[in-house]
């Protein structure tokens, strides 16, 4: 029960931070949600892999028997080998969030649709924690989605050994009507807690969907404005609309002519920008929350490389323009 309490306390603190609603509180909530999600995933993975030692020993017995002329059923051996996770993979699963999710999805412990959602939300956590990169306008919808997803993961939490303490903390008592639960109630407690927390925090899907769409649209707008800024301020009167999209992708180390730049093929084109805009608009028709976040994540992932190239180009051109202004002012 203490292990469950550790998870519930973090979710309760996150719920209170969400209710306060300010960006600083939402940021703390997000970090707590990510922490508890990885904690629960770790425990579920431990449960799934607890038989690895036994399976390895059994396979050794089969191999030893085969070496002495007593081969086991090939299908049984093949089935056994399929259930054994290689040591290198075990090490990666132990250390890596996405590897944990991948294992549980493959074993159908978690819904396949939840996999890319958790991967994207954990990536956001890293951007927020390590680089303070996550934009304020996306923090609230991302936090609400992550809280809902954490509740889904909590539903799969199974307490392998249940020892009921003499008293429960207030966070657990809130879900047990202030009393020690019976053993059968304790077994079902993670799912009951997840259901109640999800209901209390709420996931206003239309609002979240609109926020995600607006966020992607704003970033696409910035990319287009950035390209226009480069074309308008690069100092080459021969530039036309579309040249900046080629220039930010071109290898300029060899000082190619503008005609040479225009004559080459690049990964991204105007068609990609139009498709990203269309896919963003289509988010409004998606009713399933996991499908919504998965498609949102796919759109974002598909344009982030180009977005970074445009951002770097805008910065370089802006610095050059500022330098010219400073020279004109005699600085």
């Amino acid at each position: 029960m203490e292990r469950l309490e550790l998870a519930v306390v973090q979710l309760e603190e996150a719920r209170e931070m969400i209710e306060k609603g300010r960006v600083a509180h939402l940021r703390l909530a997000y970090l707590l949600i990510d922490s508890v999600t990885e904690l629960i995933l770790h425990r579920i993975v431990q449960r799934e892999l607890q038989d690895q030692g036994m399976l390895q020993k059994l396979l050794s017995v089969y191999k030893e028997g085969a070496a002495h002329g007593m081969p086991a059923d090939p299908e049984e051996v093949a089935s056994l080998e399929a259930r054994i996770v290689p040591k290198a993979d075990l090490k990666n699963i132990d250390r890596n969030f996405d590897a944990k999710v991948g294992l549980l999805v493959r074993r159908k412990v978690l819904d396949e649709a939840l996999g890319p959602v958790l991967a994207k939300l954990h990536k956001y956590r890293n951007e927020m924690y390590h680089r303070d990169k996550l934009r304020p306008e996306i923090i609230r919808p991302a936090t609400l989605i992550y809280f809902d997803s954490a509740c889904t993961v909590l539903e799969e939490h199974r307490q392998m050994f249940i020892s009921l303490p003499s008293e429960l903390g207030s966070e657990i008592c809130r879900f047990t009507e202030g009393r020690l639960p019976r053993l059968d109630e304790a077994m079902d407690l993670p799912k009951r807690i997840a259901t109640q927390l999800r209901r209390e925090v709420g996931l206003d899907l239309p609002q979240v969907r609109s926020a995600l769409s607006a966020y992607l649209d704003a970033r696409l707008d910035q990319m287009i404005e950035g390209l226009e800024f480069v074309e308008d301020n690069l100092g080459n009167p021969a530039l036309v609309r579309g040249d900046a999209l080629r220039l930010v992708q071109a290898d300029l180390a060899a000082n190619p002519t503008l005609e040479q730049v225009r004559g080459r093929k690049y990964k991204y084109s105007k068609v990609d920008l139009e498709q990203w805009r269309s896919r963003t608009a289509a988010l409004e028709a998606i009713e399933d929350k996991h499908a919504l976040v998965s498609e949102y994540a796919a759109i974002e992932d598909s344009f982030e490389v180009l977005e970074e190239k445009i951002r770097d180009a805008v910065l370089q051109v802006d610095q050059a323009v500022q330098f010219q202004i400073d020279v004109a002012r005699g600085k």
Side-chain angles (χ1 to χ4, degrees):
M1 188 64 72
E2 289 84 358
R3 289 161 65 88
L4 177 61
E5 183 177 34
L6 180 59
V8 171
V9 166
Q10 291 185 70
L11 285 171
E12 282 283 79
E13 290 294 324
R15 178 183 61 80
E16 292 180 5
M17 293 294 106
I18 291 172
E19 288 177 354
K20 291 180 180 179
R22 297 177 61 199
V23 168
H25 294 120
L26 292 170
R27 190 177 185 278
L28 287 174
Y30 201 96
L31 298 178
L32 280 169
I33 295 165
D34 181 81
S35 173
V36 73
T37 300
E38 186 155 18
L39 173 65
I40 299 171
L41 288 173
H42 172 71
R43 291 175 180 172
I44 300 174
V45 165
Q46 282 186 317
R47 182 190 75 205
E48 283 294 306
L49 299 179
Q50 62 181 328
D51 61 353
Q52 289 296 298
M54 180 193 69
L55 295 176
Q56 289 280 8
K57 290 179 181 178
L58 185 56
L59 183 60
S60 296
V61 170
Y62 284 164
K63 288 182 176 179
E64 186 175 343
H68 289 82
M70 297 180 292
D73 180 4
E75 290 187 5
E76 187 173 347
V77 172
S79 174
L80 182 61
E81 289 176 332
R83 292 162 59 195
I84 295 175
V85 181
K87 287 185 178 180
D89 291 346
L90 286 174
K91 188 174 183 180
N92 187 43
I93 290 167
D94 183 59
R95 295 181 175 182
N96 187 279
F97 182 98
D98 289 349
K100 290 182 177 67
V101 173
L103 173 75
L104 298 178
V105 168
R106 288 193 300 275
R107 294 193 170 202
K108 302 187 184 306
V109 177
L110 295 179
D111 189 330
E112 183 179 1
L114 185 61
V117 175
L118 291 174
K120 171 58 70 173
L121 294 171
H122 182 66
K123 180 183 176 184
Y124 272 0
R125 177 267 181 197
N126 290 337
E127 292 178 352
M128 183 189 302
Y129 184 75
H130 295 296
R131 294 183 289 278
D132 195 23
K133 188 178 176 183
L134 198 61
R135 304 185 186 194
E137 59 268 33
I138 199 62
I139 288 180
R140 181 170 179 80
T143 302
L144 291 175
I145 294 166
Y146 211 174
F147 190 91
D148 185 89
S149 299
C151 290
T152 300
V153 174
L154 179 60
E155 289 176 341
E156 298 302 325
H157 186 281
R158 300 288 184 273
Q159 302 177 84
M160 297 171 62
F161 304 100
I162 298 178
S163 59
L164 296 178
S166 57
E167 61 179 2
L168 296 175
S170 59
E171 292 82 6
I172 292 284
C173 282
R174 196 167 77 81
F175 303 96
T176 64
E177 300 174 347
R179 60 176 175 80
L180 284 173
R182 299 189 309 271
L183 186 60
D184 61 324
E185 292 175 327
M187 293 289 289
D188 194 48
L189 195 52
K191 184 169 291 189
R192 188 197 314 174
I193 292 171
T195 299
Q196 184 171 332
L197 284 173
R198 183 184 285 114
R199 183 174 61 250
E200 290 173 350
V201 171
L203 180 64
D204 187 335
L205 192 60
Q207 186 180 58
V208 168
R209 187 167 51 226
S210 294
L212 295 180
S213 298
Y215 178 61
L216 292 179
D217 270 329
R219 289 172 66 179
L220 290 170
D221 286 343
Q222 285 186 339
M223 290 167 65
I224 293 171
E225 290 167 4
L227 291 171
E228 292 176 353
F229 176 84
V230 171
E231 289 162 350
D232 293 341
N233 293 276
L234 197 56
N236 188 333
L239 291 179
V240 298
R241 292 293 184 242
D243 282 340
L245 184 56
R246 302 181 187 95
L247 287 168
V248 299
Q249 301 178 78
D251 180 6
L252 303 179
N255 294 317
T257 65
L258 185 56
E259 288 70 23
Q260 289 173 328
V261 169
R262 287 171 175 167
R264 293 170 184 166
K265 291 186 177 297
Y266 302 97
K267 181 176 181 179
Y268 303 104
S269 68
K270 181 182 177 182
V271 172
D272 293 294
L273 291 168
E274 293 170 347
Q275 288 180 344
W276 292 328
R277 188 74 78 181
S278 297
R279 289 174 66 185
T280 297
L283 291 177
E284 291 294 340
I286 299 178
E287 296 294 336
D288 180 81
K289 60 188 176 184
H290 293 154
L292 170 67
V293 180
S294 294
E295 175 61 4
Y296 161 83
I299 298 169
E300 183 181 56
D301 289 345
S302 64
F303 71 57
E304 279 191 318
V305 172
L306 179 60
E307 182 182 41
E308 189 66 29
K309 290 179 181 292
I310 294 172
R311 187 182 297 118
D312 290 343
V314 168
L315 179 61
Q316 292 176 32
V317 172
D318 185 58
Q319 289 174 341
V321 170
Q322 189 59 51
F323 176 76
Q324 293 297 327
I325 292 174
D326 289 344
V327 169
R329 291 176 175 175
K331 290 186 178 181

